[in-house]
């Protein structure tokens, strides 16, 4: 049937984006038992710990437990398991709990909600829990990060033993069999992808004799080198990832020599936004299961430590999550271009796969799946990359000669990247006749450190120019209607969206999800982890105050000529809600079309199914009204002021 682009009926409703959807992450083995985290938007985004033992699957943390941590606000490493015992952080109160078949229901381990824990590690042989701790007991100052230990047998009133202190941030504490502790640390103004240090120290047999933090020595890292994710081998040597050659590659350190395991123009670890990252795992004394990323396409394989030989396992995935191994199987969460993500077991010899859990049980008809096309265009700094998703719906086509409206996606981070995997929200648009361009602008990960550093001092310039040039290139190539180009982004991507709308004339509509309108306010009012992030992206504050003012979209609303939809959570600790309110007020005062929706009890990113549904419906209604098409869906009324 012939209908205008944007007006195609689609069986993929906004409600279906959350129905039966599961978030799958943080896989770990304990012997042959498999553990993972599972989240349901229909359960308020609650995250639960699951175990598979043989063919039996058990939820270990039923409601109201929520296995998440707010260290760095992005969390990670929210549980650890060993010897049949699991410990986890409960998001509601920040407390640690222990659960096992012996305890039945979870047993509380800590008692102070002002202490947050992440990157949890459990060592039954020494009776220890080791973790990164973030101390919020003094709300009038910046929280203090340390590495701590506590005994598994300790009760809630026991004090933590501080092992490492003095650095601004810590990650990846790992204890060797002979009692050596390795960890990663870094200081303001660096982020973990800028400069970090891999440290090592001897842990005393009796922690009660530790009168002061450990005396460490530097293993690797320093200025302009990002070292991440150390792991001990059984022989006492150390594996880690470093970008000293421009790419995050694997290295082996035996106490005297530092050897690259497999030099390649590829990323063997992601940017460390969250703690507890597991991009590789030990299969046996001489083999690692690992993932690597080339231009934001992920690969899975087995690396032989002795020779550096890397054998790819062709599982058909284009994105891969954390990796675990038990000697017989490799486990990971695999994303595909043509079907929902799956928690899979992979035979490291044959590459045969077994599906443990699907993120969605219902499969989408092939005629609705728009598979990504890799595209590139040029900027002053060199080539820029992205993924183009053309409109596709087997039951509908557009009138001859009509070009589709297009949404340009600016990903968050901005130190992050977009992969070409199955995304129901993208298919929501393409199945209605709206094209999507997902841009990996300069500054994105997946292309090496030099590409990542294109954004140094240039946030709000390079990303904006790359998104605008990409949209214009798609229009010039006849892939999209140049008069109906929207831009959409969340968080840092929301900043790029707002900046593009006030600094270019490319886009005729914008949708900002918890985006940053005032980077000056962000520099002075955000959480510790990102409080100095802008030093490298914009410049040191307040020395570069004029630059901050110039690049803040809120100060250039007079240049805004396009309608704008702002979607914001009221409990956002990363981007304060007053940013969206201030931008809406400025647009309103100028008489520009603007809609603002505030979602109660939502933080940085929407987790509740009703809010995910409403935000997508509002976006479709908004684009229909400003681009002149009538959606086939029955949508809640959206109030757009000044339109």
């Amino acid at each position: 049937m012939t209908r205008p682009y944007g007006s195609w009926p689609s069986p993929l409703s906004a409600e279906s984006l959350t129905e039966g959807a599961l978030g799958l992450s943080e896989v770990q083995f304990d012997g042959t038992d498999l553990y993972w985290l599972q989240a349901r938007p229909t359960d308020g985004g609650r995250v639960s710990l699951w175990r598979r033992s043989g063919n039996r699957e058990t939820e270990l943390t039923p409601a109201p437990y929520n296995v998440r941590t707010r260290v760095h606000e992005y969390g990670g490493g929210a549980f650890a398991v060993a010897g049949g015992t699991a410990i986890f952080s409960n998001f509601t109160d920040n407390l640690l709990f222990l659960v096992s078949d012996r305890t039945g229901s979870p047993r509380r381990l800590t008692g102070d909600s002002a202490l947050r824990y992440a990157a949890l590690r459990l060592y039954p042989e020494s009776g220890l829990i080791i973790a990164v701790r973030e101390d919020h007991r003094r709300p009038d100052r910046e929280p203090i990060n340390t590495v701590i230990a506590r005994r598994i047998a300790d009760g809630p009133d026991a004090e933590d033993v501080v092992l490492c202190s003095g650095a601004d941030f810590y990650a990846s504490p790992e204890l060797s069999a002979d009692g050596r502790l390795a960890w990663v640390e870094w200081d303001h103004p660096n982020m973990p992808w800028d400069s970090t240090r891999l440290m090592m120290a001897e842990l005393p047999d009796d922690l009660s004799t530790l009168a002061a933090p450990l005396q460490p020595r530097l293993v690797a890292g320093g200025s302009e080198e990002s070292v991440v994710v150390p792991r001990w081998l059984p022989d006492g040597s150390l594996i880690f990832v470093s970008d000293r050659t421009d790419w995050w590659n694997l290295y082996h350190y035996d106490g005297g020599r530092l050897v690259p395991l497999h030099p390649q123009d590829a990323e063997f670890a992601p940017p460390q936004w969250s703690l507890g990252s597991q991009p590789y795992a030990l299969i046996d004394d001489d083999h690692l299961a690992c993932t690597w990323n080339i231009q934001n396409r992920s690969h899975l394989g087995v690396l032989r430590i002795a020779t550096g030989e890397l054998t790819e396992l062709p599982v058909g995935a284009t994105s891969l999550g954390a990796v675990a191994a038990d000697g017989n199987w490799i486990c990971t969460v695999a994303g595909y271009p043509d079907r929902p993500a799956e928690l899979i077991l992979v035979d490291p010899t044959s590459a045969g796969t077994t599906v443990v859990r699907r993120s969605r049980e219902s499969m989408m008809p092939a005629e609705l799946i728009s598979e990504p096309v890799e595209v590139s265009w040029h900027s002053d700094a060199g080539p820029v990359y992205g993924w183009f998703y053309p409109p596709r719906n087997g039951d509908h086509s557009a009138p001859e000669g009509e070009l589709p409206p297009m949404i340009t996606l600016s990903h968050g981070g901005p130190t992050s990247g977009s992969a070409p995997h199955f995304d129901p929200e993208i298919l929501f648009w393409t199945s209605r006749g709206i094209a999507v361009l997902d841009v990996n602008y300069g500054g994105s990960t997946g292309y090496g450190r030099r590409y990542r550093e294109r954004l140094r001092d240039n946030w709000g310039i390079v990303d904006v120019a790359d998104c605008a040039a990409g949209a214009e290139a798609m229009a010039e190539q006849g892939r999209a209607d140049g008069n109906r180009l929207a831009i959409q982004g969340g968080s840092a991507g929301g900043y790029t969206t707002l900046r593009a709308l006030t600094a270019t004339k490319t886009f005729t509509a914008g949708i900002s999800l918890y985006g940053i309108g005032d980077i000056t306010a962000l520099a002075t009012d955000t959480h510790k982890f990102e409080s100095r992030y802008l030093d490298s992206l914009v410049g040191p504050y307040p020395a570069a105050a004029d630059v901050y003012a110039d690049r803040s979209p809120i100060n250039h609303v007079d240049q805004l000529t396009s309608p704008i939809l702002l979607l914001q959570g009221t409990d956002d600790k990363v981007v304060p809600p007053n940013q969206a309110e201030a931008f809406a007020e400025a647009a309103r005062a100028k008489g520009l079309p603007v809609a603002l929706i505030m979602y109660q009890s939502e933080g940085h990113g929407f987790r509740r199914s009703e809010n995910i549904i409403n935000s997508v419906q509002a976006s479709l209604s908004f684009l229909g009204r400003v681009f002149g098409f009538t959606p086939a869906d029955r949508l809640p009324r959206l109030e757009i002021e000044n339109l």
Side-chain angles (χ1 to χ4, degrees), residues 179-195:
R180 288 174 296 158
L181 185 69
W183 68 91
V184 172
E185 63 181 39
W186 68 97
D187 294 307
H188 285 315
N190 293 307
M191 299 298 286
W193 42 84
D194 294 326
S195 300

Side-chain angles (χ1 to χ4, degrees), residues 408-588:
T408 296
L409 298 180
S410 52
H411 65 68
T415 309
S416 183
S418 293
H421 56 231
F422 179 95
D423 185 335
E425 189 166 335
I426 288 178
L427 300 182
F428 175 88
W429 298 113
T430 57
S431 65
R432 285 165 171 76
I434 300 171
V436 174
L437 174 65
D438 201 356
V439 179
N440 280 312
Y441 48 76
S444 300
T445 54
Y447 306 90
R449 187 178 183 113
R450 282 190 290 272
Y451 192 87
R452 200 165 74 235
E453 290 189 341
R454 285 188 189 180
L455 213 55
R456 185 176 289 273
D457 298 326
N458 284 307
W459 192 35
I461 297 175
V462 166
D463 50 322
V464 170
D466 288 353
C467 286
E472 291 167 3
M474 297 304 103
E476 290 169 3
Q477 294 170 19
R479 298 176 189 260
D481 183 346
N483 294 316
R484 295 191 292 174
L485 299 176
I487 183 168
Q488 174 181 313
S491 189
Y495 167 71
T496 301
T497 291
L498 297 175
R499 175 82 172 142
L501 292 171
T502 54
T504 78
K505 300 301 181 185
T506 300
F507 300 101
T508 49
I511 302 171
S512 171
L513 295 91
Y514 35 91
I516 304 158
D518 184 353
I519 58 173
T520 300
L522 185 68
T524 58
D525 183 20
T526 192
H527 60 118
K528 178 184 177 182
F529 179 63
E530 292 185 88
S531 63
R532 300 289 299 279
Y533 188 15
L534 301 192
D535 281 30
S536 62
L537 294 175
V538 181
Y541 188 85
D546 290 347
V547 179
Y548 280 76
D550 182 59
R551 293 200 205 158
S552 291
I554 191 69
N555 296 328
H556 299 284
V557 177
D558 60 318
Q559 302 297 313
L560 179 66
T561 58
S562 301
I564 179 75
L565 171 63
L566 300 152
L567 306 169
Q568 176 70 43
T570 61
D571 290 353
D572 195 333
K573 306 301 182 187
V574 178
V575 178
N578 58 16
Q579 296 239 352
E581 293 168 334
F583 200 89
E585 179 56 35
R588 192 179 296 121

Side-chain angles (χ1 to χ4, degrees), residues 169-251:
F169 301 99
Y170 293 91
S172 303
E174 292 286 335
L175 186 62
S176 69
D178 61 359
R180 288 174 296 158
L181 185 69
W183 68 91
V184 172
E185 63 181 39
W186 68 97
D187 294 307
H188 285 315
N190 293 307
M191 299 298 286
W193 42 84
D194 294 326
S195 300
T196 63
R197 302 179 296 273
L198 173 58
M199 311 298 288
M200 182 190 301
E202 301 284 341
L203 197 67
D205 293 334
D206 184 358
L207 289 182
S208 65
T209 65
L210 189 65
L214 302 174
Q215 297 299 309
R217 64 183 181 89
L218 178 69
V219 175
S223 179
E224 302 300 314
E225 181 181 0
S226 170
V227 180
V228 296
V229 202
R231 293 286 187 272
W232 293 102
L233 294 179
D235 65 3
S237 60
L238 198 60
I239 302 288
F240 62 88
V241 177
S242 167
D243 72 348
R244 59 177 53 196
T245 62
D246 189 45
W247 300 87
W248 274 310
N249 277 195
L250 285 159
Y251 290 82

